[in-house]
Amino acid sequence: MLKSEAVELLGSDMSAAAEAVGISYQAVKKWPDQLPPRIADRVLGVCVRKGIEVPRKFLEPKPTQALTQQAQVATETVAQGVAHA
């Protein structure tokens, strides 16, 4: 989730977003452009509590890099086993 998307969801400006989340304007201002999962999850939690409709794109699970790497290793292991059989 982008910071601009979070701010828009929470009230269209940083002051409203800060108030909705319960933090200072300065804290929101320091958020990175690409929010880490902990902040994005907090934004989504506030939306749910306040009855704010959350766009579907924020609710769909995304594979993490670790899971993607695990799947790739598993696929390669299976492929090697088939090649040796």
Side-chain angles (χ1 to χ4, degrees):
M1 175 183 292
L2 297 176
K3 175 179 169 177
S4 59
E5 294 169 323
V7 168
E8 185 177 324
L9 276 172
L10 295 172
S12 74
D13 66 35
M14 283 196 271
S15 294
E19 186 176 332
V21 178
I23 59 177
S24 69
Y25 169 88
Q26 291 83 7
V28 173
K29 190 173 180 178
K30 290 180 183 179
W31 284 353
D33 288 334
Q34 179 64 50
L35 298 182
R38 67 180 177 79
I39 296 175
D41 288 348
R42 189 168 178 184
V43 168
L44 294 175
V46 169
C47 290
V48 169
R49 279 196 318 273
K50 294 184 175 277
I52 299 169
E53 187 175 344
V54 177
R56 186 171 195 80
K57 70 179 183 177
F58 299 126
L59 301 176
E60 296 172 351
K62 296 178 183 167
T64 63
Q65 185 176 3
L67 290 176
T68 302
Q69 289 173 343
Q70 289 174 357
Q72 184 178 3
V73 169
T75 302
E76 290 170 0
T77 302
V78 170
Q80 287 173 355
V82 171
H84 295 315

